[in-house]
């Protein structure tokens, strides 16, 4: 009995598919990671209409079912009327492909430590920071427009052999 080489077997299967006509396909979602550097403009509602520039990095784990979780680190700075660093923050993210809840904290360079919560959707982030070291223990609500789009579950296409 002669040995059948792997290359010959692949060639036979491929040629039988070409001769068999249309091939059915199946799709399957797989888990993946999504790493993005982003930029944004943030308005702190207690501070008027002057935006702050934000730059950050987001790492997301995206499940095959659309569940997402991950982390985010960012730095914001005031740039109108002179440059001044504002806040650095670290967040934990949990949700789905469309909307995620975020919990975190960081350091405000003029007021001290803060804790925060927010909701993130495609290109928008709404949140509130609670300043725990400030003299007046203030709450700062904010809105941010950014370059982060909706997270997407990765899909692979699997050709099925004809019967």
């Amino acid at each position: 009995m002669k040995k059948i080489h792997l290359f010959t077997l692949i060639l036979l299967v491929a040629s039988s598919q070409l001769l068999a006509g249309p091939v059915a396909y199946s799709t399957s979602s797989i888990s993946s990671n999504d790493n993005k550097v982003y930029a944004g403009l943030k308005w702190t509602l207690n501070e008027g209409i002057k935006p702050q520039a934000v730059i950050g990095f987001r790492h997301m784990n995206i499940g095959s079912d659309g569940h997402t979780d991950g982390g985010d680190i960012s730095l914001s700075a005031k740039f109108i009327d002179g440059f001044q660093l504002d806040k650095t923050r670290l967040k934990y993210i949990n949700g789905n492909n469309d909307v995620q809840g975020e919990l975190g904290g960081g350091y405000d360079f003029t007021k001290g430590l803060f804790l925060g919560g927010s909701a993130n959707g495609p290109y928008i982030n709404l949140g509130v920071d609670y300043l725990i070291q400030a003299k007046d223990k203030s709450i700062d609500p904010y809105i941010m427009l950014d370059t982060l789009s909706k997270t997407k579950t990765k899909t692979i296409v699997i050709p099925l052999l004809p019967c």
Side-chain angles (χ1 to χ4, degrees), residues 4 24 26 80 116 136 146:
I4 297 178
S26 174
I80 297 176
D136 57 1
D146 58 40

Side-chain angles (χ1 to χ4, degrees), residues 78-155:
K78 297 176 182 179
F79 60 93
I80 297 176
D81 301 331
F83 181 83
Q84 178 186 3
L85 288 177
D86 187 48
K87 292 179 180 176
T88 183
R89 82 175 61 232
L90 185 63
K91 295 190 262 186
Y92 168 72
I93 306 162
N94 193 335
N96 60 41
N97 285 345
D98 298 313
V99 178
Q100 302 90 33
E102 304 174 326
L103 290 175
Y107 185 75
D108 182 311
F109 290 100
T110 59
K111 300 174 186 173
L113 294 175
F114 68 90
L115 298 174
S118 56
N120 186 68
Y123 307 109
I124 191 164
N125 188 284
L126 303 170
V128 62
D129 292 334
Y130 174 68
L131 296 157
I132 56 179
Q133 275 192 328
K135 292 179 225 172
D136 57 1
K137 304 269 192 263
S138 66
I139 294 177
D140 289 340
Y142 65 87
I143 183 170
M144 180 172 71
L145 302 177
D146 58 40
T147 59
L148 292 169
S149 62
K150 175 180 171 179
T151 60
K152 296 176 184 150
T153 304
K154 301 246 191 247
T155 303

Side-chain angles (χ1 to χ4, degrees), residues 34-60:
D34 186 26
N35 298 316
K36 290 185 179 168
V37 173
Y38 67 91
L41 289 175
K42 181 178 94 171
W43 288 266
T44 302
L45 302 181
N46 296 346
E47 296 180 8
I49 61 170
K50 296 179 184 178
Q52 301 163 14
V54 178
I55 188 160
F57 175 76
R58 173 168 287 187
H59 168 78
M60 298 295 284

Side-chain angles (χ1 to χ4, degrees), residues 57-68:
F57 175 76
R58 173 168 287 187
H59 168 78
M60 298 295 284
N61 300 309
I62 305 167
S64 59
D65 60 353
H67 177 264
T68 60

